[in-house]
Amino acid sequence: MLFYSFFKTLTGKEVALELKNGVVLTGTLHSVDQYLNVKLSNVQVVDSNKYPQLVSLRNCFVRGSVIRYIQIPSSEVDTELLQDAARKENAPKSSTTGKRKEKA
């Protein structure tokens, strides 16, 4: 859930998606869901000579399982917030959860 909530904060920002088949798309992040499926608007193909069939693409939905990388501007990353969220998510669980304390 860490990445899902992180990408939700980036809606409306410019991102680049590199897909597993080598296609690189840039556009505005419209939405993202819990499976990291992504909707882009104002889409442009980086190598339009190699993929001329995608030149007319303006809006698209990309399944999360076919995305290799999502590149975001470094100015949009709040590293302290991301590190804190990662620490909280990976924090050890309390060993007393669900157990009764025995009295001596």
Side-chain angles (χ1 to χ4, degrees), residues 46-66:
V46 171
D47 192 359
S48 59
N49 293 331
K50 190 173 181 181
Y51 305 102
Q53 67 273 22
L54 299 177
V55 171
S56 62
L57 189 64
R58 293 293 162 238
N59 300 311
C60 70
F61 174 87
V62 181
R63 184 178 168 139
S65 64
V66 300

Side-chain angles (χ1 to χ4, degrees), residues 56-95:
S56 62
L57 189 64
R58 293 293 162 238
N59 300 311
C60 70
F61 174 87
V62 181
R63 184 178 168 139
S65 64
V66 300
I67 298 173
R68 181 178 293 149
Y69 298 114
I70 300 179
Q71 298 173 359
I72 56 177
S74 60
S75 61
E76 300 298 333
V77 180
D78 184 358
T79 55
E80 290 182 23
L81 180 65
L82 194 57
Q83 287 172 351
D84 287 344
R87 283 188 200 106
K88 287 177 186 174
E89 189 169 288
N90 292 324
K93 305 291 187 235
S94 175
S95 62

Side-chain angles (χ1 to χ4, degrees), residues 1-11 32-34 36 81-82 85 89:
M1 294 302 286
L2 175 67
F3 288 110
Y4 168 65
S5 52
F6 174 69
F7 285 122
K8 288 290 281 184
T9 64
L10 294 175
T11 54
V32 63
D33 66 11
Q34 69 269 23
L36 298 182
L81 180 65
L82 194 57
E89 189 169 288

Side-chain angles (χ1 to χ4, degrees), residues 14-17 24-28 40-46 71:
E14 198 71 22
V15 297
L17 297 180
V24 180
L25 304 170
T26 60
T28 305
L40 289 180
S41 56
N42 304 320
V43 176
Q44 294 180 339
V45 181
V46 171
Q71 298 173 359

